[in-house]
Amino acid sequence: MASVPSVSFASPCRQAAERRLTFAGPALRGFRFEAPKFSSRIVVRCVAAASYAPPTVSETKLNFLKSYKRPIPSIYNSVLQELLVQQHLMRYKRTYQYDAVFALGFVTVYEQLMEGYPNSEDRDAIFQAYIRALKEDPEQYRSDAKKLEEWARAQTANSLIEFSTREGEVETILKDISERALSKGNFSYSRFFAIGLFRLLELANATEPTVLEKLCAALNINKRSVDRDLDVYRNLLSKLVQAKELLKEYVDREKKKREERSGSQKANEAITKCTGDFRSVTFKL
């Protein structure tokens, strides 16, 4: 995956600087040339763009590997690495701003992916390493997801849709998302956001398509994008279920083979022991 370069803004900045110097002179053949009024804005924007230097995908993946050094079974690791790349690209978009619905969506995907992981402590440690690799707070993800889940369980279809008419901590979060999505300034829609919305509907027992449509309208979100991403999510879950079934079959087969080898070894040891006892008794006789 290609990194996000910070040097690509150098050329326009240099051109803007040269343009300013070219026209800013006291006089030339009786005429005074001045820089266009917009040149300073161009320079400011270029400087701001050049100063934005997010880490590369490789750096984020390396941060994860440094934080969690134990091996991860390939069935989990391949999906985790793909998710990490996708979330890196979301995280470092200029319009990205963390919100609780996004957090709920990611936590939901993570729990689905890691369900059945051999060790619960490792599962949590991987989560911590993953979020920290993106330079975010894993505790905030967990607490915000829990807060939204508890709130959604107490909602109905109507109360979900009518969040803007009520006061409350989660209602304020949703209002803020709605305002940012409407202005399109610092809101960046993502697949995790769509999954977070669907999780709210699930917990409120309000999964009818019309409810989703009305909630998207209230949040100023494109429902077509949400539908598309939810289809991708459902396909992912289906593939995960199949992969985990295959993994379970593999683990069961290997366990049976080990038990058979162990049983055969114990039988051989018993025969050897009996033979030794027999020889000992014969010798004494």
Side-chain angles (χ1 to χ4, degrees):
M1 183 64 65
S3 62
V4 182
S6 59
V7 296
S8 60
F9 299 99
S11 180
C13 289
R14 190 176 299 114
Q15 290 173 6
E18 290 171 354
R19 190 183 304 129
R20 183 178 59 183
L21 291 172
T22 301
F23 290 102
L28 180 62
R29 294 185 181 179
F31 294 94
R32 181 177 177 82
F33 289 87
E34 294 180 354
K37 294 181 180 179
F38 56 82
S39 64
S40 60
R41 285 198 297 266
I42 292 176
V43 172
V44 170
R45 287 173 184 170
C46 288
V47 170
S51 65
Y52 180 69
T56 64
V57 171
S58 297
E59 288 170 337
T60 295
K61 294 176 78 171
L62 183 60
N63 288 338
F64 173 72
L65 294 174
K66 285 180 178 178
S67 183
Y68 188 83
K69 299 179 181 179
R70 299 184 64 180
I72 300 173
S74 60
I75 186 175
Y76 298 99
N77 191 48
S78 59
V79 182
L80 272 175
Q81 292 298 323
E82 180 62 27
L83 284 178
L84 186 60
V85 170
Q86 291 180 17
Q87 194 164 349
H88 170 97
L89 299 176
M90 298 174 196
R91 164 74 175 84
Y92 292 107
K93 284 182 70 174
R94 288 184 170 278
T95 54
Y96 172 81
Q97 181 172 320
Y98 170 90
D99 65 65
V101 177
F102 177 94
L104 174 60
F106 173 74
V107 171
T108 299
V109 171
Y110 184 84
E111 294 300 331
Q112 292 278 359
L113 167 63
M114 302 299 282
E115 184 181 11
Y117 197 79
N119 188 303
S120 59
E121 291 183 1
D122 286 345
R123 185 167 63 234
D124 185 60
I126 292 169
F127 179 87
Q128 300 270 337
Y130 181 105
I131 299 298
R132 288 201 176 104
L134 294 160
K135 301 186 185 304
E136 292 191 308
D137 183 0
E139 298 305 325
Q140 184 179 17
Y141 268 74
R142 288 288 193 193
S143 62
D144 283 347
K146 183 179 179 181
K147 182 192 307 173
L148 262 64
E149 287 175 340
E150 292 174 349
W151 176 84
R153 289 189 182 98
Q155 304 305 309
T156 64
N158 288 334
S159 63
L160 263 179
I161 297 166
E162 296 170 357
F163 66 84
S164 62
T165 64
R166 303 196 316 275
E167 297 298 325
E169 186 177 6
V170 174
E171 287 82 355
T172 300
I173 290 171
L174 296 178
K175 289 175 191 177
D176 176 66
I177 291 171
S178 177
E179 291 171 2
R180 290 191 289 114
L182 181 62
S183 67
K184 303 185 185 302
N186 57 344
F187 176 78
S188 180
Y189 169 83
S190 70
R191 187 168 297 162
F192 290 133
F193 185 90
I195 296 167
L197 282 187
F198 185 71
R199 182 62 177 153
L200 291 177
L201 297 175
E202 275 188 326
L203 294 170
N205 294 316
T207 55
E208 297 84 357
T210 55
V211 179
L212 176 59
E213 183 176 358
K214 291 176 181 177
L215 182 58
C216 287
L219 289 167
N220 297 305
I221 303 297
N222 188 326
K223 183 179 179 292
R224 186 176 299 177
S225 297
V226 173
D227 287 336
R228 179 197 62 218
D229 288 334
L230 290 180
D231 285 340
V232 173
Y233 174 57
R234 293 185 189 101
N235 289 335
L236 171 64
L237 291 183
S238 177
K239 290 177 181 178
L240 279 175
V241 169
Q242 295 174 13
K244 288 179 181 180
E245 287 175 353
L246 291 174
L247 177 63
K248 185 177 184 301
E249 291 175 4
Y250 170 78
V251 171
D252 289 344
R253 284 199 306 270
E254 291 300 307
K255 183 179 179 182
K256 186 176 180 180
K257 289 179 182 178
R258 285 196 300 270
E259 289 174 349
E260 289 174 352
R261 286 195 296 267
S262 176
S264 176
Q265 183 178 356
K266 287 180 179 178
N268 290 335
E269 290 174 354
I271 292 171
T272 303
K273 185 176 184 302
C274 289
T275 303
D277 290 344
F278 175 76
R279 287 174 178 171
S280 176
V281 171
T282 302
F283 178 75
K284 288 179 181 179
L285 290 175

